[in-house]
Amino acid sequence: LLSTSEVLTLARLFVREGVDKIRLTGGEPLIRPDVLDIIGKKQSELKKLEGLKTVAVTTNGMNLSKLLPKLREAGLDLINISLDSLVSAKFEFIVRRKGFHKVMESIDKAVELGYNPVKTFKVPGFKGQMGFITSMSDHFCGSCNRLRITADGNLKPEVVAKIETLHVLIDSLSFLSLRMFYSQSSVEDHTHQTPSALDSPSNAKAQLTHIDAQGQATMVDIGEKLPTPRTATAGATIILGTVAFRLLRDNQLAKGDALTVAQLAGIMASKQTSSLIPLCHPLPLDHTSLTFQLDEPRCSVIITATCRTTGRTGVEMEALTAASVAALTVYDMCKAVSHDIVISDVKLLIKTGGKRDFHRQ
């Protein structure tokens, strides 16, 4: 949203105050028609600012290969290229478009032109190198001295920008988690459970395990538990309406085979549960499966997700996450046809292993 002159004016102000490295990021900075003007094509460009040592770009690599020779000539010092997967089909699934070969071509071109990455690892016999952003294993956010200027000209510390992005994700998923929790905890819901240890008098004083004595959220210590086989099955229902249901059933949706995509999304989500739900333990899943039942009278899809592991804690959240994300994916595949789509009945169906089993009637 900033004009060429606004970007360069801000750059001059920061360099005057001692900033010696500027990175153009996004979004995708290389779709700007003035990117060469900003870096080094005109008299007022970044490379002529006294005191600025490094000009860098973060890019998805789609348009990089054809621009790279001119960017190199203009004085671009460093490049970060985002590559979501080294498997072409998985890359296209994640970014939702083709272009894997364009990114790889850009990486090859960068190597050819002599760009040398830092903080990196090299495989003997190969030209390329790779690096890791180690904000989790090597905490550097506390000493971060970066500032981020947003597209509309607002100023934020880099760590704040990253935290805000993380909060959007956590807030969305926490809402989903709380909704699932209250759905499972409500009196109305318990009336449909099979009589079990959950209904025993000894359970009357049960407490939430993720809350400590001071009422603060805490991660449960499972270190002393023995690994045992555990399974969980969860379900979700998505009501589509007549037109969307017919197109999904006949595999005529514009985005393609919705159920296959939803199956992959559910499996992938189950493996990322501990990254999405803050206090979940990471579990090595032995197996995840999803099935889809088409309910034609209700124009709905009934999703069933089953997860299995041998571990110290249960896989209920993995199964619930798989079912939820699969339902959200079906919604995404169908929303071009109708937004009058309802996701309902996200619930645990079966749990085995651990202190007690659970079977919903």
Side-chain angles (χ1 to χ4, degrees):
L1 300 179
L2 298 177
S3 67
T4 307
S5 61
E6 287 172 332
V7 172
L8 293 172
T9 297
L10 286 168
R12 278 194 293 272
L13 291 171
F14 279 102
V15 172
R16 188 183 303 165
E17 297 300 323
V19 170
D20 60 10
K21 178 180 178 180
I22 292 178
R23 177 182 299 279
L24 303 176
T25 178
E28 175 49 49
L30 298 189
I31 64 172
R32 288 188 66 123
D34 60 350
V35 65
L36 290 172
D37 298 336
I38 291 173
I39 293 174
K41 194 175 179 183
K42 294 184 176 179
Q43 292 300 313
S44 59
E45 74 279 39
L46 295 177
K47 291 300 291 185
K48 286 191 169 61
L49 295 178
E50 186 175 350
L52 184 62
K53 298 177 182 178
T54 305
V55 177
V57 161
T58 295
T59 172
N60 60 26
M62 292 287 189
N63 300 318
L64 179 62
S65 62
K66 62 182 180 182
L67 286 173
L68 197 51
K70 291 183 179 179
L71 289 169
R72 180 70 161 172
E73 184 181 345
L76 181 65
D77 299 298
L78 295 175
I79 309 168
N80 276 9
I81 300 175
S82 301
L83 182 62
D84 294 285
S85 174
L86 290 170
V87 179
S88 178
K90 189 177 289 186
F91 172 90
E92 292 176 9
F93 174 75
I94 294 171
V95 304
R96 297 190 177 185
R97 60 173 170 172
K98 296 184 181 297
F100 174 78
H101 68 285
K102 291 183 179 179
V103 182
M104 295 305 295
E105 184 181 335
S106 296
I107 293 172
D108 291 337
K109 192 69 176 179
V111 172
E112 178 187 324
L113 292 179
Y115 282 97
N116 292 311
V118 299
K119 196 170 148 262
T120 56
F121 296 85
K122 186 178 177 70
V123 180
F126 293 84
K127 288 185 177 180
Q129 301 179 74
M130 64 183 296
F132 296 92
I133 300 174
T134 56
S135 58
M136 298 303 290
S137 59
D138 180 18
H139 305 292
F140 56 76
C141 288
S143 58
C144 178
N145 63 354
R146 297 181 180 183
L147 295 171
R148 179 184 292 271
I149 299 177
T150 62
D152 55 1
N154 284 308
L155 178 67
K156 296 181 180 180
E158 177 77 3
V159 66
V160 172
K162 289 183 177 178
I163 288 172
E164 286 181 349
T165 303
L166 180 61
H167 277 177
V168 170
L169 175 63
I170 290 177
D171 288 347
S172 300
L173 290 163
S174 295
F175 174 77
L176 180 61
S177 303
L178 287 170
R179 189 172 179 181
M180 287 189 219
F181 169 76
Y182 283 117
S183 174
Q184 293 175 63
S185 302
S186 66
V187 174
E188 179 184 11
D189 195 41
H190 279 310
T191 62
H192 300 290
Q193 295 177 7
T194 303
S196 67
L198 286 173
D199 304 308
S200 66
S202 63
N203 203 51
K205 296 183 180 179
Q207 295 181 345
L208 297 175
T209 57
H210 284 300
I211 304 295
D212 64 16
Q214 288 73 43
Q216 301 296 315
T218 183
M219 191 172 188
V220 177
D221 186 351
I222 60 172
E224 295 184 0
K225 292 185 177 181
L226 293 175
T228 58
R230 299 167 184 263
T231 62
T233 300
T237 300
I238 180 162
I239 304 169
L240 297 172
T242 307
V243 176
F245 179 84
R246 175 176 53 80
L247 291 173
L248 179 141
R249 181 198 62 197
D250 298 339
N251 197 15
Q252 296 297 314
L253 290 166
K255 284 190 174 182
D257 187 346
L259 298 185
T260 297
V261 176
Q263 181 185 40
L264 290 172
I267 292 171
M268 292 173 68
S270 70
K271 295 187 288 185
Q272 296 296 321
T273 300
S274 63
S275 299
L276 301 174
I277 310 299
L279 299 180
C280 282
H281 293 84
L283 291 177
L285 291 175
D286 297 329
H287 183 69
T288 297
S289 64
L290 282 97
T291 61
F292 302 89
Q293 178 186 344
L294 300 183
D295 185 349
E296 193 144 0
R298 296 181 61 202
C299 293
S300 64
V301 180
I302 301 171
I303 301 169
T304 305
T306 299
C307 294
R308 188 174 71 243
T309 189
T310 302
R312 293 183 170 91
T313 189
V315 285
E316 300 98 306
M317 291 308 301
E318 283 70 16
L320 286 163
T321 300
S324 302
V325 171
L328 288 169
T329 303
V330 172
Y331 181 98
D332 178 62
M333 298 291 285
C334 297
K335 71 179 188 291
V337 179
S338 171
H339 286 95
D340 187 18
I341 298 173
V342 177
I343 297 174
S344 66
D345 295 332
V346 178
K347 58 191 176 185
L348 181 68
L349 301 173
I350 300 171
K351 169 195 173 297
T352 63
K355 289 183 179 180
R356 52 184 173 262
D357 293 347
F358 171 84
H359 296 270
R360 185 181 300 277
Q361 286 184 330

